[in-house]
Amino acid sequence: MTAEARVRNLIMEISNEVFSFIKNQETSFQDRWVPASHIKNTLNLNYVAVPKDNVQYGAKGWLFAILARILEDKDLVEYKKVGNRAYYRSK
């Protein structure tokens, strides 16, 4: 297996774990909509995404955004935004 294939497989495994987490959390939220902030904070998915010599003001949820998009592309989750807050639930 190539390095590219191994990396892609690991990313897919991580997205599957996030999907399982969303499904497990749904019962705790109205209409099963799990806040993205809850997912990111509980799974500690906030990271700094710039080189050390550059400036970024704190960790951001870029990794979660990528994983959530993968789940949307696989038609596993729904997304909605209310004001400034984002929510996800399984389909």
Side-chain angles (χ1 to χ4, degrees):
M1 183 182 290
T2 66
E4 177 187 358
R6 286 191 303 273
V7 168
R8 288 188 69 74
N9 285 342
L10 289 169
I11 292 169
M12 292 303 139
E13 282 184 47
I14 295 168
S15 69
N16 290 335
E17 285 296 322
V18 170
F19 177 68
S20 294
F21 178 79
I22 291 169
K23 283 188 65 95
N24 288 333
Q25 294 295 302
E26 288 177 339
T27 58
S28 300
F29 295 94
Q30 183 177 355
D31 296 328
R32 299 180 17 248
W33 287 107
V34 183
S37 59
H38 173 75
I39 300 164
K40 288 185 294 186
N41 293 334
T42 304
L43 296 178
N44 198 19
L45 291 176
N46 293 310
Y47 292 92
V48 176
V50 299
K52 287 184 179 185
D53 288 342
N54 290 354
V55 176
Q56 177 174 318
Y57 300 101
K60 306 288 182 202
W62 59 270
L63 179 58
F64 172 70
I66 293 168
L67 299 170
R69 176 58 191 263
I70 289 169
L71 294 174
E72 281 187 279
D73 288 346
K74 290 168 69 176
D75 205 32
L76 294 173
V77 297
E78 295 178 280
Y79 165 83
K80 81 171 181 176
K81 190 164 187 170
V82 178
N84 292 338
R85 298 187 59 101
Y87 299 86
Y88 291 89
R89 71 177 177 190
S90 63
K91 284 194 168 182

Coordinates of all heavy atoms in Angstrom, one line a residue:
M1 N 0.9 -1.2 0.0 CA 0.0 0.0 0.0 C 0.9 1.2 0.0 O 1.9 1.3 0.7 CB -0.9 0.0 1.2 CG -1.9 1.1 1.3 SD -2.9 1.2 2.8 CE -4.0 -0.2 2.5
T2 N 0.5 2.2 -0.8 CA 1.3 3.4 -0.9 C 1.1 4.3 0.3 O 0.1 4.2 1.0 CB 1.0 4.2 -2.1 OG1 -0.4 4.7 -2.0 CG2 1.1 3.4 -3.4
A3 N 2.0 5.3 0.5 CA 1.9 6.2 1.6 C 0.6 7.0 1.4 O -0.2 7.3 2.4 CB 3.1 7.2 1.6
E4 N 0.2 7.4 0.2 CA -1.0 8.1 -0.1 C -2.2 7.3 0.3 O -3.1 7.9 1.0 CB -1.1 8.5 -1.6 CG -2.4 9.2 -1.9 CD -2.6 9.4 -3.4 OE1 -1.8 9.0 -4.2 OE2 -3.7 9.9 -3.8
A5 N -2.2 6.1 0.0 CA -3.4 5.2 0.3 C -3.5 5.0 1.9 O -4.6 5.1 2.4 CB -3.2 3.8 -0.3
R6 N -2.4 4.9 2.5 CA -2.4 4.7 4.0 C -2.9 6.0 4.6 O -3.7 5.9 5.6 CB -1.0 4.4 4.5 CG -0.6 3.0 4.2 CD 0.7 2.5 5.0 NE 1.8 3.4 4.7 CZ 2.7 3.2 3.7 NH1 2.5 2.3 2.9 NH2 3.7 4.1 3.6
V7 N -2.5 7.2 4.2 CA -2.9 8.4 4.7 C -4.4 8.6 4.5 O -5.2 9.0 5.4 CB -2.1 9.6 4.2 CG1 -2.8 10.9 4.5 CG2 -0.7 9.6 4.7
R8 N -4.9 8.3 3.3 CA -6.3 8.4 3.0 C -7.1 7.5 3.9 O -8.2 7.8 4.4 CB -6.6 8.1 1.5 CG -6.1 9.3 0.6 CD -6.6 9.1 -0.8 NE -8.0 9.3 -1.0 CZ -8.6 10.4 -1.0 NH1 -8.0 11.5 -0.8 NH2 -9.9 10.5 -1.3
N9 N -6.6 6.3 4.1 CA -7.3 5.3 4.9 C -7.4 5.8 6.4 O -8.5 5.7 7.0 CB -6.7 3.9 4.9 CG -7.0 3.2 3.6 OD1 -7.9 3.5 2.9 ND2 -6.1 2.2 3.3
L10 N -6.4 6.4 6.9 CA -6.4 6.9 8.2 C -7.4 8.1 8.3 O -8.1 8.2 9.3 CB -5.0 7.4 8.6 CG -4.0 6.2 8.9 CD1 -2.6 6.8 9.0 CD2 -4.4 5.4 10.1
I11 N -7.4 9.0 7.3 CA -8.4 10.1 7.4 C -9.8 9.5 7.4 O -10.6 10.0 8.1 CB -8.1 11.0 6.2 CG1 -6.8 11.8 6.4 CG2 -9.3 12.0 6.0 CD1 -6.3 12.6 5.2
M12 N -10.0 8.5 6.6 CA -11.4 7.9 6.5 C -11.7 7.2 7.9 O -12.9 7.3 8.3 CB -11.5 6.9 5.4 CG -11.4 7.5 4.0 SD -12.7 8.7 3.8 CE -11.8 9.9 2.9
E13 N -10.7 6.6 8.5 CA -11.0 6.0 9.8 C -11.3 7.1 10.8 O -12.2 6.9 11.6 CB -9.8 5.3 10.3 CG -9.6 3.9 9.7 CD -8.4 3.1 10.3 OE1 -8.3 3.1 11.5 OE2 -7.6 2.6 9.5
I14 N -10.6 8.2 10.8 CA -10.9 9.3 11.7 C -12.3 9.9 11.4 O -13.1 10.1 12.4 CB -9.9 10.4 11.6 CG1 -8.5 9.9 12.0 CG2 -10.3 11.7 12.4 CD1 -7.4 10.9 11.7
S15 N -12.7 10.0 10.2 CA -14.0 10.5 9.9 C -15.1 9.6 10.3 O -16.2 10.0 10.8 CB -14.2 10.9 8.4 OG -14.2 9.7 7.6
N16 N -14.8 8.3 10.2 CA -15.8 7.3 10.7 C -15.9 7.4 12.3 O -17.0 7.2 12.8 CB -15.4 5.9 10.3 CG -15.6 5.6 8.8 OD1 -16.4 6.3 8.2 ND2 -14.8 4.7 8.3
E17 N -14.9 7.6 13.0 CA -14.9 7.8 14.4 C -15.8 9.0 14.8 O -16.6 9.0 15.7 CB -13.5 7.9 15.0 CG -12.8 6.6 15.1 CD -13.4 5.6 16.0 OE1 -14.0 6.0 17.1 OE2 -13.4 4.4 15.7
V18 N -15.6 10.1 14.0 CA -16.4 11.3 14.3 C -17.8 11.0 14.0 O -18.7 11.5 14.8 CB -15.8 12.5 13.4 CG1 -16.8 13.7 13.5 CG2 -14.4 12.9 13.9
F19 N -18.1 10.3 13.0 CA -19.5 10.0 12.6 C -20.1 9.1 13.8 O -21.3 9.4 14.2 CB -19.6 9.2 11.3 CG -21.0 8.7 11.0 CD1 -22.0 9.6 10.7 CD2 -21.3 7.4 11.0 CE1 -23.2 9.2 10.3 CE2 -22.5 6.9 10.7 CZ -23.5 7.9 10.4
S20 N -19.4 8.2 14.3 CA -19.9 7.4 15.4 C -20.2 8.3 16.6 O -21.2 8.1 17.3 CB -18.9 6.3 15.8 OG -18.8 5.3 14.8
F21 N -19.3 9.2 16.9 CA -19.5 10.1 18.0 C -20.7 10.9 17.8 O -21.5 11.1 18.8 CB -18.2 11.0 18.1 CG -18.4 12.0 19.3 CD1 -18.2 11.7 20.6 CD2 -18.8 13.3 19.0 CE1 -18.3 12.6 21.6 CE2 -18.9 14.3 20.0 CZ -18.7 13.9 21.3
I22 N -20.9 11.5 16.6 CA -22.1 12.3 16.4 C -23.4 11.4 16.6 O -24.3 11.9 17.3 CB -22.1 12.8 14.9 CG1 -21.0 13.9 14.8 CG2 -23.5 13.4 14.5 CD1 -20.7 14.3 13.3
K23 N -23.4 10.2 16.1 CA -24.6 9.3 16.3 C -24.8 9.1 17.8 O -26.0 9.0 18.2 CB -24.4 8.0 15.5 CG -24.6 8.1 14.0 CD -24.6 6.8 13.4 CE -25.8 5.9 13.8 NZ -27.0 5.9 13.0
N24 N -23.8 8.8 18.5 CA -23.9 8.6 20.0 C -24.4 9.8 20.7 O -25.1 9.6 21.8 CB -22.6 8.1 20.5 CG -22.3 6.7 20.1 OD1 -23.2 5.9 19.8 ND2 -21.0 6.3 20.0
Q25 N -24.1 11.0 20.3 CA -24.4 12.2 21.0 C -25.8 12.7 20.7 O -26.4 13.5 21.4 CB -23.4 13.3 20.7 CG -22.0 13.0 21.2 CD -22.0 13.0 22.7 OE1 -22.4 14.0 23.3 NE2 -21.6 11.9 23.3
E26 N -26.4 12.3 19.6 CA -27.7 12.8 19.1 C -28.8 12.7 20.1 O -29.6 13.7 20.1 CB -28.1 12.1 17.8 CG -27.2 12.5 16.6 CD -27.6 11.7 15.3 OE1 -28.2 10.6 15.4 OE2 -27.3 12.2 14.3
T27 N -28.8 11.7 20.9 CA -29.9 11.6 21.8 C -29.9 12.7 22.9 O -30.9 12.9 23.6 CB -29.9 10.2 22.5 OG1 -28.7 10.0 23.2 CG2 -30.1 9.1 21.5
S28 N -28.8 13.3 23.1 CA -28.7 14.4 24.1 C -29.1 15.8 23.6 O -29.1 16.7 24.4 CB -27.2 14.5 24.6 OG -26.9 13.2 25.1
F29 N -29.5 15.9 22.3 CA -29.7 17.2 21.7 C -31.1 17.2 21.0 O -31.5 16.2 20.4 CB -28.6 17.6 20.8 CG -27.3 17.8 21.4 CD1 -26.4 16.7 21.5 CD2 -27.0 19.0 22.0 CE1 -25.2 16.9 22.2 CE2 -25.8 19.2 22.7 CZ -24.9 18.1 22.8
Q30 N -31.7 18.4 21.0 CA -33.0 18.6 20.4 C -33.0 18.2 18.9 O -32.1 18.7 18.2 CB -33.5 20.0 20.6 CG -34.9 20.2 20.1 CD -35.3 21.7 20.4 OE1 -34.6 22.4 21.0 NE2 -36.5 22.0 19.8
D31 N -33.9 17.4 18.5 CA -34.0 17.0 17.1 C -32.7 16.4 16.6 O -32.5 16.4 15.4 CB -34.4 18.2 16.2 CG -35.8 18.7 16.5 OD1 -36.7 17.9 16.9 OD2 -36.1 19.9 16.3
R32 N -31.9 15.9 17.5 CA -30.7 15.2 17.2 C -29.6 16.1 16.6 O -28.5 15.6 16.2 CB -30.9 14.0 16.2 CG -31.8 12.9 16.7 CD -32.1 11.8 15.7 NE -31.2 11.6 14.7 CZ -31.5 11.9 13.4 NH1 -32.7 12.2 13.0 NH2 -30.6 11.7 12.4
W33 N -29.8 17.4 16.6 CA -28.8 18.3 16.0 C -27.7 18.5 17.0 O -27.9 19.2 18.1 CB -29.4 19.6 15.6 CG -30.2 19.5 14.4 CD1 -31.6 19.6 14.3 CD2 -29.8 19.4 13.0 NE1 -32.0 19.5 13.0 CE2 -30.9 19.4 12.2 CE3 -28.5 19.3 12.5 CZ2 -30.8 19.2 10.8 CZ3 -28.4 19.1 11.1 CH2 -29.6 19.1 10.3
V34 N -26.5 18.0 16.8 CA -25.3 18.1 17.7 C -24.5 19.4 17.3 O -24.1 19.5 16.1 CB -24.4 16.9 17.6 CG1 -23.3 17.0 18.6 CG2 -25.3 15.6 17.8
P35 N -24.3 20.3 18.2 CA -23.5 21.5 17.9 C -22.1 21.1 17.4 O -21.4 20.3 18.1 CB -23.5 22.3 19.2 CG -24.6 21.8 20.0 CD -24.8 20.3 19.6
A36 N -21.6 21.8 16.4 CA -20.2 21.5 15.9 C -19.2 21.9 17.0 O -18.2 21.2 17.2 CB -20.0 22.4 14.7
S37 N -19.5 22.9 17.8 CA -18.6 23.3 18.9 C -18.5 22.1 19.9 O -17.4 21.9 20.5 CB -19.1 24.6 19.6 OG -20.4 24.4 20.1
H38 N -19.6 21.4 20.2 CA -19.6 20.3 21.1 C -18.7 19.2 20.6 O -17.9 18.6 21.3 CB -21.0 19.8 21.4 CG -21.1 18.6 22.2 ND1 -20.8 18.6 23.5 CD2 -21.3 17.3 21.8 CE1 -20.9 17.3 24.0 NE2 -21.2 16.5 23.0
I39 N -18.8 18.9 19.3 CA -18.0 17.9 18.7 C -16.6 18.2 18.7 O -15.7 17.4 19.2 CB -18.5 17.6 17.2 CG1 -20.0 17.2 17.2 CG2 -17.6 16.6 16.5 CD1 -20.6 17.3 15.8
K40 N -16.2 19.4 18.3 CA -14.8 19.9 18.2 C -14.2 19.9 19.6 O -13.1 19.4 19.8 CB -14.7 21.2 17.6 CG -15.0 21.3 16.1 CD -14.7 22.7 15.6 CE -15.7 23.7 16.1 NZ -15.6 25.0 15.5
N41 N -14.9 20.4 20.6 CA -14.4 20.5 21.9 C -14.3 19.2 22.7 O -13.3 18.9 23.3 CB -15.2 21.5 22.8 CG -15.1 22.9 22.2 OD1 -14.1 23.3 21.6 ND2 -16.1 23.7 22.5
T42 N -15.3 18.4 22.5 CA -15.3 17.1 23.2 C -14.2 16.2 22.7 O -13.5 15.5 23.4 CB -16.6 16.4 23.1 OG1 -17.6 17.3 23.6 CG2 -16.7 15.1 23.9
L43 N -14.0 16.2 21.3 CA -13.0 15.4 20.7 C -11.7 16.1 20.6 O -10.7 15.5 20.0 CB -13.5 14.9 19.3 CG -14.7 14.0 19.3 CD1 -15.1 13.7 17.9 CD2 -14.5 12.8 20.1
N44 N -11.6 17.3 21.1 CA -10.3 18.1 21.1 C -9.8 18.2 19.7 O -8.6 17.8 19.4 CB -9.3 17.5 22.0 CG -8.2 18.4 22.4 OD1 -8.4 19.6 22.2 ND2 -7.1 17.9 22.8
L45 N -10.6 18.6 18.7 CA -10.2 18.7 17.3 C -9.9 20.1 16.9 O -9.9 20.5 15.7 CB -11.4 18.2 16.4 CG -11.7 16.8 16.5 CD1 -12.9 16.4 15.7 CD2 -10.5 15.9 16.1
N46 N -9.4 21.0 17.8 CA -8.9 22.3 17.5 C -7.4 22.3 17.5 O -6.8 21.9 18.4 CB -9.5 23.3 18.5 CG -11.0 23.5 18.4 OD1 -11.5 23.7 17.3 ND2 -11.6 23.4 19.5
Y47 N -6.8 22.7 16.3 CA -5.4 22.7 16.2 C -4.9 24.0 15.5 O -5.7 24.7 14.8 CB -5.0 21.6 15.3 CG -5.2 20.2 15.9 CD1 -6.3 19.5 15.7 CD2 -4.2 19.7 16.7 CE1 -6.5 18.3 16.3 CE2 -4.4 18.4 17.3 CZ -5.6 17.7 17.1 OH -5.8 16.5 17.7
V48 N -3.7 24.4 15.7 CA -3.0 25.5 15.0 C -2.6 24.9 13.7 O -1.9 23.9 13.6 CB -1.9 26.0 15.9 CG1 -1.1 27.1 15.1 CG2 -2.4 26.6 17.2
A49 N -2.9 25.7 12.6 CA -2.6 25.2 11.3 C -1.6 26.0 10.5 O -1.6 25.9 9.3 CB -3.9 25.1 10.5
V50 N -0.8 26.7 11.2 CA 0.2 27.5 10.5 C 1.6 27.2 11.0 O 1.7 26.7 12.2 CB 0.0 29.0 10.6 CG1 -1.4 29.4 10.0 CG2 0.0 29.5 12.0
P51 N 2.7 27.4 10.3 CA 4.0 27.2 10.8 C 4.3 28.0 12.0 O 3.7 29.1 12.2 CB 4.9 27.6 9.6 CG 4.1 27.5 8.4 CD 2.7 27.8 8.8
K52 N 5.2 27.6 12.9 CA 5.5 28.3 14.1 C 5.9 29.7 13.9 O 5.6 30.6 14.8 CB 6.5 27.5 14.9 CG 6.0 26.2 15.5 CD 7.1 25.6 16.4 CE 6.6 24.3 17.0 NZ 7.6 23.8 17.9
D53 N 6.5 30.0 12.8 CA 7.0 31.4 12.6 C 5.9 32.3 12.1 O 6.0 33.5 12.1 CB 8.1 31.4 11.6 CG 9.4 30.9 12.1 OD1 9.6 30.8 13.3 OD2 10.3 30.5 11.3
N54 N 4.7 31.8 11.7 CA 3.6 32.6 11.3 C 2.7 32.8 12.5 O 2.8 32.2 13.6 CB 2.8 31.9 10.2 CG 3.6 31.9 8.9 OD1 4.7 32.5 8.8 ND2 3.1 31.3 7.9
V55 N 1.7 33.7 12.3 CA 0.8 34.0 13.4 C -0.6 33.5 13.1 O -1.2 33.7 12.1 CB 0.7 35.6 13.6 CG1 -0.3 35.9 14.7 CG2 2.1 36.1 13.9
Q56 N -1.1 32.7 14.1 CA -2.5 32.3 14.1 C -3.0 32.5 15.5 O -2.3 32.1 16.4 CB -2.7 30.9 13.6 CG -4.2 30.5 13.7 CD -4.4 29.1 13.1 OE1 -3.9 28.7 12.1 NE2 -5.2 28.3 13.8
Y57 N -4.1 33.1 15.7 CA -4.6 33.4 17.0 C -5.4 32.3 17.6 O -6.6 32.3 17.5 CB -5.4 34.7 17.0 CG -4.5 35.9 16.5 CD1 -4.6 36.4 15.2 CD2 -3.6 36.4 17.4 CE1 -3.8 37.4 14.8 CE2 -2.7 37.5 17.0 CZ -2.9 37.9 15.7 OH -2.0 39.0 15.2
G58 N -4.7 31.3 18.1 CA -5.3 30.2 18.7 C -5.6 29.0 17.8 O -5.5 29.1 16.6
A59 N -6.0 27.9 18.4 CA -6.3 26.7 17.6 C -7.7 26.9 16.9 O -8.5 27.6 17.5 CB -6.3 25.5 18.5
K60 N -7.8 26.3 15.8 CA -9.1 26.4 15.0 C -9.6 25.0 14.7 O -8.9 24.0 14.8 CB -8.8 27.2 13.7 CG -8.2 28.5 13.9 CD -9.1 29.5 14.5 CE -8.5 30.9 14.6 NZ -9.0 31.7 15.5
G61 N -10.8 25.0 14.2 CA -11.4 23.7 13.9 C -11.3 23.2 12.5 O -12.2 22.6 12.0
W62 N -10.2 23.5 11.9 CA -10.0 23.2 10.5 C -10.0 21.6 10.2 O -10.6 21.2 9.2 CB -8.7 23.7 9.9 CG -7.5 23.3 10.7 CD1 -6.9 23.8 11.7 CD2 -6.7 22.1 10.4 NE1 -5.8 23.1 12.2 CE2 -5.7 22.0 11.4 CE3 -6.8 21.1 9.4 CZ2 -4.7 21.0 11.4 CZ3 -5.8 20.0 9.5 CH2 -4.8 20.0 10.4
L63 N -9.5 20.9 11.1 CA -9.5 19.4 11.0 C -11.0 18.9 11.0 O -11.4 18.1 10.2 CB -8.7 18.7 12.0 CG -8.6 17.2 12.0 CD1 -8.2 16.7 10.6 CD2 -7.8 16.6 13.1
F64 N -11.7 19.4 12.0 CA -13.1 19.0 12.1 C -13.9 19.4 10.8 O -14.7 18.6 10.3 CB -13.8 19.6 13.3 CG -15.3 19.3 13.3 CD1 -15.8 18.0 13.4 CD2 -16.2 20.3 13.0 CE1 -17.2 17.8 13.4 CE2 -17.6 20.1 12.9 CZ -18.0 18.8 13.1
A65 N -13.6 20.6 10.3 CA -14.3 21.0 9.1 C -14.0 20.1 7.9 O -14.9 19.7 7.1 CB -13.9 22.4 8.7
I66 N -12.8 19.6 7.8 CA -12.5 18.6 6.7 C -13.2 17.3 7.0 O -13.8 16.7 6.0 CB -10.9 18.4 6.7 CG1 -10.2 19.7 6.2 CG2 -10.6 17.2 5.8 CD1 -8.7 19.6 6.5
L67 N -13.2 16.8 8.2 CA -13.8 15.6 8.5 C -15.4 15.6 8.3 O -16.0 14.7 7.7 CB -13.5 15.1 9.9 CG -12.0 14.9 10.2 CD1 -11.8 14.7 11.7 CD2 -11.5 13.7 9.4
A68 N -16.0 16.8 8.7 CA -17.4 16.9 8.5 C -17.7 17.0 7.0 O -18.8 16.4 6.6 CB -17.9 18.2 9.2
R69 N -16.9 17.6 6.2 CA -17.2 17.7 4.8 C -17.1 16.3 4.2 O -17.9 15.9 3.3 CB -16.2 18.6 4.1 CG -16.3 18.7 2.6 CD -17.8 19.1 2.2 NE -17.9 18.9 0.7 CZ -17.8 19.8 -0.2 NH1 -17.5 21.1 0.2 NH2 -18.0 19.5 -1.4
I70 N -16.1 15.5 4.6 CA -16.0 14.1 4.1 C -17.3 13.3 4.5 O -17.9 12.6 3.6 CB -14.8 13.4 4.8 CG1 -13.5 14.0 4.2 CG2 -14.9 11.9 4.5 CD1 -12.3 13.5 4.9
L71 N -17.8 13.5 5.7 CA -19.1 12.8 6.1 C -20.3 13.3 5.2 O -21.1 12.5 4.9 CB -19.3 13.0 7.6 CG -18.3 12.4 8.5 CD1 -18.5 12.7 9.9 CD2 -18.3 10.8 8.3
E72 N -20.3 14.6 4.9 CA -21.3 15.1 4.1 C -21.2 14.6 2.7 O -22.2 14.2 2.1 CB -21.3 16.7 4.0 CG -21.8 17.4 5.1 CD -21.8 18.9 4.9 OE1 -20.8 19.5 5.0 OE2 -22.9 19.4 4.5
D73 N -20.0 14.5 2.1 CA -19.8 13.9 0.8 C -20.2 12.5 0.7 O -20.6 12.0 -0.3 CB -18.4 14.1 0.3 CG -18.0 15.6 0.0 OD1 -18.9 16.4 -0.1 OD2 -16.8 15.9 -0.1
K74 N -20.0 11.8 1.8 CA -20.4 10.4 1.9 C -21.9 10.2 2.2 O -22.4 9.1 2.3 CB -19.6 9.6 3.0 CG -18.1 9.5 2.6 CD -17.3 9.0 3.7 CE -17.5 7.6 4.2 NZ -16.6 7.2 5.2
D75 N -22.6 11.4 2.3 CA -24.1 11.4 2.6 C -24.4 10.7 3.9 O -25.5 10.1 4.0 CB -24.8 10.8 1.4 CG -26.3 11.3 1.3 OD1 -26.5 12.5 1.7 OD2 -27.2 10.5 0.9
L76 N -23.6 10.9 4.9 CA -23.8 10.3 6.2 C -24.4 11.3 7.2 O -25.0 10.9 8.2 CB -22.5 9.7 6.8 CG -21.9 8.5 6.0 CD1 -20.6 8.2 6.5 CD2 -22.9 7.4 6.1
V77 N -24.1 12.6 7.0 CA -24.6 13.6 8.0 C -25.3 14.8 7.2 O -25.0 15.0 6.0 CB -23.4 14.2 8.8 CG1 -22.8 13.2 9.7 CG2 -22.4 15.0 8.0
E78 N -26.1 15.4 8.0 CA -26.8 16.7 7.5 C -26.1 17.8 8.3 O -25.7 17.6 9.4 CB -28.3 16.7 7.9 CG -29.1 15.6 7.2 CD -30.5 15.7 7.6 OE1 -30.8 15.1 8.7 OE2 -31.3 16.3 6.9
Y79 N -26.1 19.0 7.7 CA -25.6 20.2 8.3 C -26.6 21.3 8.2 O -27.4 21.4 7.3 CB -24.4 20.6 7.4 CG -23.9 22.0 7.6 CD1 -23.0 22.3 8.7 CD2 -24.3 23.1 6.8 CE1 -22.5 23.6 8.9 CE2 -23.8 24.4 7.0 CZ -23.0 24.6 8.1 OH -22.5 25.9 8.3
K80 N -26.6 22.1 9.3 CA -27.5 23.3 9.3 C -26.7 24.3 10.1 O -25.9 24.1 11.0 CB -28.9 23.0 9.9 CG -29.0 23.0 11.4 CD -30.4 23.0 11.8 CE -30.6 23.0 13.3 NZ -31.9 23.1 13.8
K81 N -27.0 25.6 9.8 CA -26.4 26.7 10.5 C -27.6 27.6 11.0 O -28.5 27.9 10.2 CB -25.5 27.5 9.5 CG -24.7 28.5 10.3 CD -23.5 29.0 9.4 CE -22.7 29.9 10.3 NZ -21.4 30.2 9.7
V82 N -27.5 28.0 12.2 CA -28.5 28.9 12.8 C -27.7 30.0 13.4 O -26.9 29.8 14.4 CB -29.3 28.1 13.9 CG1 -30.3 29.1 14.6 CG2 -30.0 26.9 13.4
G83 N -27.8 31.2 12.9 CA -27.0 32.3 13.3 C -25.5 32.0 13.0 O -25.1 31.7 11.9
N84 N -24.7 32.0 14.1 CA -23.3 31.7 14.0 C -22.9 30.3 14.4 O -21.8 29.9 14.4 CB -22.5 32.7 14.8 CG -22.5 34.1 14.3 OD1 -22.8 34.3 13.2 ND2 -22.2 35.1 15.2
R85 N -24.0 29.5 14.7 CA -23.7 28.2 15.2 C -24.0 27.1 14.1 O -25.0 27.2 13.4 CB -24.5 27.9 16.4 CG -24.1 28.9 17.6 CD -24.8 28.5 18.9 NE -24.5 27.2 19.3 CZ -23.6 26.9 20.2 NH1 -22.9 27.8 20.8 NH2 -23.5 25.6 20.6
A86 N -23.1 26.1 14.0 CA -23.3 25.0 13.1 C -23.7 23.8 13.8 O -23.3 23.6 15.0 CB -22.0 24.8 12.3
Y87 N -24.5 22.9 13.2 CA -25.0 21.7 13.8 C -24.9 20.5 12.8 O -25.0 20.8 11.6 CB -26.5 21.8 14.2 CG -26.7 22.9 15.2 CD1 -26.9 24.2 14.8 CD2 -26.7 22.6 16.5 CE1 -27.1 25.3 15.7 CE2 -27.0 23.6 17.5 CZ -27.1 24.9 17.1 OH -27.3 25.9 18.0
Y88 N -24.7 19.3 13.3 CA -24.7 18.1 12.5 C -25.5 17.1 13.1 O -25.7 17.0 14.3 CB -23.2 17.6 12.3 CG -22.4 18.5 11.5 CD1 -21.7 19.6 12.1 CD2 -22.2 18.4 10.2 CE1 -20.9 20.4 11.4 CE2 -21.4 19.2 9.4 CZ -20.8 20.2 10.0 OH -20.0 21.1 9.3
R89 N -26.1 16.2 12.2 CA -26.8 15.0 12.7 C -26.6 13.9 11.6 O -26.4 14.3 10.4 CB -28.2 15.2 13.0 CG -29.1 15.5 11.9 CD -30.5 15.7 12.4 NE -31.4 16.0 11.3 CZ -32.7 16.4 11.4 NH1 -33.2 16.5 12.6 NH2 -33.4 16.7 10.4
S90 N -26.8 12.7 12.0 CA -26.7 11.6 11.0 C -28.0 11.6 10.2 O -29.0 12.0 10.6 CB -26.5 10.3 11.7 OG -27.6 10.0 12.5
K91 N -27.8 11.0 9.0 CA -29.0 10.9 8.1 C -29.6 9.6 8.3 O -29.1 8.6 8.8 CB -28.5 10.9 6.6 CG -28.2 12.4 6.2 CD -28.1 12.4 4.7 CE -28.1 13.9 4.3 NZ -28.0 14.0 2.8

